[in-house]
Amino acid sequence: MMNDQLSQALNDQMNFEFYSAHVYLAIAAYCSGESLDGFANFFIVQAEEERFHAMKMYKYLNDRGKRVTLIGMSTPNNEYSSILDAFQHAYQHEQEVTKRIYHLSDLAMNDREHATIQFLKWFIDEQVEEESMFDSIINKLKRIDTDSNAFFMLDNEFAQRTFVPPTTA
Ligand code: MG
């Protein structure tokens, strides 16, 4: 049986994943405001991914006989100075998520809660992907000028991104 401290921490993280969707949708809105529809699409898909993460935790808590509770969300940052600034903000946000997932994993390990340790492995792997993705986009953006063809090609590339729910786990 999972202890209350661990289930509360999982519930907190579920809420933080919903908040992450909110953060990314606000970035999408900023991009739309700048008429960068490809970048906006990228963050709309990112928001969908975050909602999927939250629902994964929602289902897990239910499966473990725990009552899920939702909390109110704080206002996300709606203004950015540039696309690079928005991606840097997103990268920092993902680093915060990783820290939180590690903390959850520590709690599960301290409690020898093997099912939860296993459940969190998926999120640990996912965070490696998320951080690497944002880091590489930031590096690209730093290399290209925002008025260049390369910048608009990137916007075009991101217009193609679609949300594909992971089939494993
Ligand atoms: Mg997430």
Side-chain angles (χ1 to χ4, degrees), residues 69-83:
T69 53
L70 278 288
I71 59 165
M73 278 188 251
S74 47
T75 306
N77 192 15
N78 281 287
E79 300 307 329
Y80 292 93
S81 58
S82 64
I83 290 290

Side-chain angles (χ1 to χ4, degrees), residues 19-57:
Y19 172 67
S20 300
H22 217 46
V23 166
Y24 292 136
L25 199 55
I27 298 180
Y30 162 76
C31 296
S32 293
E34 298 295 308
S35 301
L36 293 166
D37 295 339
F39 287 104
N41 178 65
F42 175 94
F43 281 104
I44 287 169
V45 171
Q46 191 63 28
E48 285 179 86
E49 272 198 13
E50 297 310 332
R51 196 157 193 285
F52 176 85
H53 296 164
M55 287 310 294
K56 206 173 163 71
M57 290 182 171

Side-chain angles (χ1 to χ4, degrees), residues 6-147:
L6 181 55
S7 67
Q8 185 56 54
L10 277 165
N11 192 84
D12 287 349
Q13 187 57 31
M14 175 203 71
N15 278 293
F16 198 76
E17 299 285 343
F18 280 125
Y19 172 67
S20 300
H22 217 46
V23 166
Y24 292 136
L25 199 55
I27 298 180
Y30 162 76
C31 296
S32 293
E34 298 295 308
S35 301
L36 293 166
D37 295 339
F39 287 104
N41 178 65
F42 175 94
F43 281 104
I44 287 169
V45 171
Q46 191 63 28
E48 285 179 86
E49 272 198 13
E50 297 310 332
R51 196 157 193 285
F52 176 85
H53 296 164
M55 287 310 294
K56 206 173 163 71
M57 290 182 171
Y58 176 101
K59 289 188 188 103
Y60 182 70
L61 284 163
N62 273 329
D63 286 348
R64 298 299 306 275
K66 297 293 181 180
R67 176 72 163 84
V68 165
T69 53
L70 278 288
I71 59 165
M73 278 188 251
S74 47
T75 306
N77 192 15
N78 281 287
E79 300 307 329
Y80 292 93
S81 58
S82 64
I83 290 290
L84 176 62
D85 180 38
F87 272 95
Q88 282 169 331
H89 187 88
Y91 185 40
Q92 277 169 18
H93 186 81
E94 287 305 324
Q95 287 172 319
E96 169 68 21
V97 172
T98 301
K99 220 182 286 173
R100 285 165 176 261
I101 299 286
Y102 283 7
H103 174 66
L104 270 176
S105 196
D106 287 344
L107 287 180
M109 284 196 277
N110 290 344
D111 196 37
R112 302 169 64 86
E113 227 305 323
H114 293 283
T116 302
I117 293 166
Q118 189 64 27
F119 172 74
L120 290 169
K121 278 204 172 119
W122 185 90
F123 286 90
I124 291 168
D125 292 343
E126 178 70 10
Q127 284 313 113
V128 173
E129 294 301 314
E130 300 281 43
E131 286 198 28
S132 147
M133 176 183 70
F134 282 115
D135 185 42
S136 97
I137 296 168
I138 286 166
N139 285 331
K140 268 185 205 169
L141 285 170
K142 279 180 175 168
R143 283 201 304 267
I144 61 180
D145 189 283
T146 53
D147 292 324

